[in-house]
Amino acid sequence: MKWVALKGDGKIAFKIKSRLKWVGLVGLVLSTFSILTHFLLARYTDGGVSDYQSSITIFSWRPIFENVDLSNNHSLLLQNPLYQRLWGPVRLLESLHPYANPRENYAAPIHKTSGFIFVRIRGGFHEIRNSICDAVVVSRLLNATLVIPELQSTTSSKGISTQFKSFAYLYNEDQFIAALAKDVKIVKTLPKHLKGARRKKEIPSFKVSNSASPHFYQHHVLPVLSRHSVVELVISEGGGLQAILPPHLEEYQRLRCRVAYHALSFREEVEELATKVLDRLRASGRPFIAYEPGMTREALAYYGCAELFQDVHTELIQHKRSWMIKRGIIKGNLSVDSAKQRLNGLCPLMPEEVGILLRAYGYSWDTIIYVSGGEVFGGQKKLIPLHAMFENVVDRTSLSTSWELNKVYGREANLDDKISRAPPVKEEIKFEAWKTSGPRPRPLPPPPLRPKYYNIEGWWGWVAESDREPESTVMELRTNAHKLLWEAVDYRVCVEADVFIPGFDRDGKGKPNFASLVMGHRFYQFAASKTFRLDRKVVAKLLGEIREHLYRANHAWIKSVRRHLKRNLIDGLAKEFIGSKELSFLSFPIPECSCTRQISPEKISNVSSPSSSSKLPAFVGDTHSCPSWMNGYTLAQSKDKESEEQLEEDDSTSAGLFFRQSNNTNQEAGDGETVNKEDTQMEDNEELEGGDR
């Protein structure tokens, strides 16, 4: 019996050991799988997981519209006079609709063309976009076959990914060709026999300006094209054709719109990232403002705004201005009174000044503001006051991850100058005088010269040492190509923003810049969307009135700011029509690329104020009527105009307080009443924005 019991115990022990082995084996497999998973995440995300988590919860630390369900109350918000003033459409422009289709008999391109036009484009994002549109129009004008333009900023020599070729680095080639199939014949490359001639530089080339006329192309370029079957156009001034064309060429203006707003679609990876950024901006359910500072070194140098900065930044601006003067870009003195330029509206508005205007208009401290642009000259410190006034200030970097950006860049080779390396240490040469000199030799010969190295990123140490800027490294050239992708994402976000406000609308050549391009696209696509076109001269005067108490404005001043901003929603269009359209058609593509729905005089009187209705014919009066198939579109007319006007006049019932302050504070200026600062801020907003509604 005892032996039988021992035998049973042995079987039980064997079973237990067998199960333990299986458990250990399963645990080993799971551990191996877990380690492999973590390795793959670390290898391919490059820290993107933690960044992604922080990016999608960027607004969670500050409740936005707390206790309000925007999805259910959206219609109620649209009827709210305050919401209408801050986020609602401009009623005078609600009848404008995008319509770039040909109006008259418009023939398809002839199969047999005059030859091939090969275009090389230089410049930044807005210059590239203008130039591509002009290249298409010129090809149509000359009945030529257009070869996909080559973007000099995106060639493989700049260290970018080899999986993208020039134009395809930024735009979708197939979409470009398909969208313009009824306008221009487009091919991706030259025929083989012409490729060899181009490599040998045997094809005729023209360096064209942005003021080139149709006559120039028809009488100078076309004969050469007919003889050689191919010409090369080099466009480096942000365009290759004059902005204003004769009336009989109006169809070519609409072709520009079809290129810019329908054919030029960003490549898939860029569109995907832009969509993600927009989704994350709207995840809280709130509308948002897009702000484009426009503070580039070139623009500041061109307009002489160096004295608005300090230290090395002033030197950098002056160095660039000197360079521009030597090359004839600027005709003027090196030293300019920057304060006078600012008062004349020729310098960009600082982020602090834009923040004050937005707070005065009524936007609360928790408004979401997206800062566009790859460069804010002066560094992030220039944005500190804006961050102090608005807590939800974000940009592309805070709404995307390094992994997502690397996906947009594609596979790129490692560059030698990616990491700054210390120079090799050389043994100092000791002069004989140093060896034989006494304890206090006088005078000593100078020490040997040592090369100076500036390895700190962003530090422009060469300014103090040389009159010439150092040659761009391959890494800097790659970064310049990356900036095009950053601006593409910013462009999409700015166009679709609920409100857009530019700090400046000119580039380093005195021409319309990125912000002007955005305003033109918004005017075409969403004419009634709220776009502030500031009169910087008036703004400088208004800010000068409260310079001593900048953050605690009085009632009358706030009322003046709101009146100016609201008036310039319309008046700014008239100034844009006069000042920008003759330089860049895409900055103001109306009336050529729009149509209007007929509205009865009674409705017009209900939606327009006497002060602004007289400005309407200047840029809307000659638009075509929309076709009948567009008449089904209904216009959203607000029934609260009277209450909104009353809100505009009666909402200045307390002093403006532009910084959101802490809770442990004292008294309101002027009345001696001690209150909690946060409660005071909320009450102040309600009084400023609500009035007697």
Side-chain angles (χ1 to χ4, degrees):
M1 294 292 292
K2 186 176 182 181
W3 179 82
V4 174
L6 290 173
K7 186 177 180 181
D9 292 342
K11 290 183 177 179
I12 294 173
F14 177 77
K15 289 182 179 179
I16 293 174
K17 288 182 180 180
S18 178
R19 290 178 180 176
L20 288 175
K21 287 180 180 179
W22 280 107
V23 170
L25 182 61
V26 171
L28 182 61
V29 172
L30 291 176
S31 300
T32 305
F33 178 76
S34 177
I35 292 172
L36 181 62
T37 302
H38 283 79
F39 173 77
L40 292 174
L41 286 174
R43 173 65 178 83
Y44 293 104
T45 61
D46 192 23
V49 175
S50 60
D51 293 341
Y52 178 75
Q53 290 175 347
S54 64
S55 69
I56 62 174
T57 60
I58 191 166
F59 304 120
S60 64
W61 47 267
R62 177 61 59 187
I64 298 176
F65 272 9
E66 192 172 11
N67 300 325
V68 176
D69 186 358
L70 293 179
S71 60
N72 296 331
N73 296 334
H74 184 66
S75 59
L76 296 178
L77 285 174
L78 291 177
Q79 298 175 8
N80 187 319
L82 171 60
Y83 186 90
Q84 280 288 338
R85 176 163 64 83
L86 297 180
W87 306 104
V90 182
R91 298 193 189 106
L92 272 175
L93 305 176
E94 286 184 323
S95 60
L96 277 175
H97 297 277
Y99 188 57
N101 293 353
R103 304 285 197 272
E104 303 169 356
N105 294 330
Y106 189 79
I110 303 174
H111 180 71
K112 186 177 181 180
T113 61
S114 304
F116 294 89
I117 291 182
F118 180 83
V119 183
R120 288 193 291 124
I121 299 174
R122 300 170 183 167
F125 179 87
H126 67 283
E127 294 170 319
I128 288 173
R129 202 169 179 89
N130 280 320
S131 300
I132 292 174
C133 296
D134 289 352
V136 173
V137 171
V138 169
S139 299
R140 171 80 188 190
L141 184 67
L142 302 183
N143 187 31
T145 299
L146 175 66
V147 181
I148 290 286
E150 179 183 285
L151 310 184
Q152 293 291 290
S153 300
T154 62
T155 57
S156 58
S157 61
K158 304 300 186 290
I160 64 174
S161 175
T162 56
Q163 68 185 100
F164 305 110
K165 291 184 178 180
S166 188
F167 186 91
Y169 186 73
L170 189 59
Y171 295 109
N172 187 326
E173 286 186 346
D174 296 331
Q175 165 68 15
F176 182 71
I177 295 173
L180 298 174
K182 296 182 179 180
D183 298 292
V184 179
K185 185 179 180 181
I186 303 176
V187 295
K188 291 188 177 181
T189 59
L190 286 168
K192 290 184 178 180
H193 67 285
L194 294 178
K195 279 185 180 179
R198 178 178 175 269
R199 279 194 294 266
K200 297 176 182 178
K201 299 184 178 179
E202 295 176 352
I203 64 175
S205 178
F206 292 87
K207 188 174 181 179
V208 297
S209 68
N210 61 351
S211 59
S213 65
H215 181 274
F216 167 79
Y217 285 103
Q218 291 173 331
H219 293 82
H220 292 83
V221 178
L222 183 57
V224 177
L225 176 63
S226 300
R227 287 197 304 269
H228 296 271
S229 299
V230 61
V231 295
E232 180 183 64
L233 302 181
V234 180
I235 305 178
S236 58
E237 296 185 7
L241 184 66
Q242 64 189 40
I244 306 298
L245 297 178
H248 68 280
L249 296 178
E250 186 174 304
E251 287 296 339
Y252 290 88
Q253 299 288 52
R254 281 187 276 277
L255 176 57
R256 275 174 162 163
C257 292
R258 291 196 293 277
V259 177
Y261 307 134
H262 300 281
L264 283 179
S265 175
F266 300 120
R267 62 180 167 90
E268 183 180 354
E269 294 84 358
V270 179
E271 290 283 356
E272 182 181 347
L273 179 57
T275 301
K276 287 181 179 179
V277 171
L278 281 167
D279 290 343
R280 290 165 189 171
L281 279 168
R282 300 191 184 279
S284 62
R286 295 260 333 243
F288 71 95
I289 299 173
Y291 162 52
E292 162 60 31
M295 293 170 57
T296 63
R297 180 184 171 206
E298 291 75 14
L300 293 166
Y302 185 89
Y303 288 99
C305 305
E307 295 174 4
L308 301 181
F309 294 81
Q310 296 177 348
D311 304 328
V312 70
H313 297 103
T314 299
E315 295 295 329
L316 283 168
I317 295 172
Q318 288 297 83
H319 185 279
K320 177 60 72 172
R321 184 172 175 85
S322 174
W323 181 88
M324 290 179 169
I325 291 174
K326 290 178 182 177
R327 283 156 182 76
I329 300 175
I330 299 175
K331 295 180 180 179
N333 299 324
L334 177 62
S335 299
V336 180
D337 187 349
S338 299
K340 185 177 180 181
Q341 292 289 92
R342 176 182 171 276
L343 291 175
N344 289 332
L346 297 177
C347 288
L349 294 175
M350 294 295 169
E352 177 184 22
E353 297 171 332
V354 172
I356 290 173
L357 294 176
L358 292 175
R359 293 290 284 117
Y361 194 71
Y363 292 103
S364 60
W365 56 268
D366 61 350
T367 300
I368 302 172
I369 298 182
Y370 180 87
V371 180
S372 169
E375 175 188 7
V376 177
F377 191 80
Q380 290 296 314
K381 68 178 182 180
K382 290 294 180 182
L383 295 174
I384 291 176
L386 185 66
H387 281 272
M389 285 180 270
F390 296 94
E391 293 196 0
N392 288 328
V393 177
V394 296
D395 59 13
R396 167 189 47 80
T397 59
S398 59
L399 293 172
S400 59
T401 67
S402 58
W403 177 80
E404 290 169 337
L405 291 174
N406 289 333
K407 183 180 177 182
V408 173
Y409 301 153
R411 288 188 173 274
E412 296 179 329
N414 292 328
L415 300 178
D416 293 336
D417 61 343
K418 183 175 182 180
I419 300 176
S420 298
R421 299 178 180 177
V425 179
K426 295 183 179 180
E427 185 179 354
E428 294 185 5
I429 302 174
K430 295 184 178 180
F431 293 99
E432 191 66 25
W434 285 81
K435 299 177 182 179
T436 59
S437 60
R440 296 184 64 187
R442 294 180 183 175
L444 289 176
L449 295 176
R450 300 178 186 177
K452 296 192 176 183
Y453 297 88
Y454 301 96
N455 296 322
I456 304 175
E457 185 177 357
W459 175 255
W460 298 81
W462 55 265
V463 173
E465 303 295 331
S466 173
D467 291 334
R468 295 183 60 186
E469 295 190 26
E471 294 293 331
S472 297
T473 64
V474 180
M475 194 62 195
E476 289 171 341
L477 294 175
R478 173 187 284 183
T479 302
N480 290 336
H482 288 176
K483 287 180 180 178
L484 294 177
L485 301 177
W486 304 343
E487 290 183 318
V489 174
D490 290 341
Y491 183 83
R492 170 93 183 277
V493 173
C494 289
V495 168
E496 298 191 24
D498 299 278
V499 174
F500 179 71
I501 181 167
F504 202 50
D505 59 355
R506 289 292 184 270
D507 63 9
K509 299 177 182 177
K511 299 170 185 174
N513 65 356
F514 177 91
S516 291
L517 211 62
V518 170
M519 289 190 288
H521 195 158
R522 288 172 63 88
F523 195 27
Y524 168 81
Q525 193 74 38
F526 316 104
S529 63
K530 199 169 247 66
T531 301
F532 291 109
R533 294 171 171 84
L534 304 175
D535 187 331
R536 291 182 298 277
K537 187 174 182 179
V538 175
V539 169
K541 182 179 178 181
L542 287 171
L543 292 171
E545 295 174 359
I546 61 165
R547 184 59 59 185
E548 299 300 325
H549 43 90
L550 198 59
Y551 298 108
R552 301 187 70 88
N554 56 44
H555 311 162
W557 187 85
I558 292 176
K559 195 173 179 179
S560 300
V561 169
R562 293 182 177 179
R563 187 179 298 113
H564 169 72
L565 292 179
K566 185 177 181 182
R567 183 171 60 245
N568 270 272
L569 292 172
I570 297 298
D571 293 352
L573 286 170
K575 295 176 182 178
E576 193 82 6
F577 179 84
I578 298 172
S580 295
K581 186 166 185 174
E582 62 182 10
L583 300 175
S584 172
F585 173 77
L586 296 183
S587 66
F588 200 96
I590 308 301
E592 293 86 350
C593 299
S594 67
C595 64
T596 54
R597 290 187 70 253
Q598 298 299 324
I599 305 177
S600 62
E602 294 79 7
K603 288 186 178 180
I604 294 178
S605 63
N606 289 335
V607 300
S608 62
S609 60
S611 62
S612 58
S613 60
S614 59
K615 304 293 191 300
L616 208 58
F619 52 90
V620 177
D622 295 333
T623 55
H624 296 264
S625 297
C626 291
S628 57
W629 59 266
M630 296 180 67
N631 290 334
Y633 182 81
T634 57
L635 297 177
Q637 302 291 346
S638 173
K639 300 179 181 180
D640 297 318
K641 175 175 175 54
E642 182 178 352
S643 60
E644 184 180 354
E645 290 182 346
Q646 185 178 2
L647 175 68
E648 283 293 323
E649 297 299 325
D650 300 337
D651 59 358
S652 296
T653 57
S654 65
L657 184 62
F658 298 140
F659 276 129
R660 181 179 178 274
Q661 303 182 17
S662 57
N663 293 335
N664 54 350
T665 47
N666 33 51
Q667 63 181 23
E668 189 70 30
D671 59 8
E673 181 182 357
T674 303
V675 290
N676 177 281
K677 286 291 182 81
E678 184 165 347
D679 293 338
T680 300
Q681 179 65 29
M682 300 303 294
E683 293 170 5
D684 188 43
N685 283 339
E686 290 176 2
E687 291 176 347
L688 286 172
E689 301 168 347
D692 297 327
R693 70 175 185 276

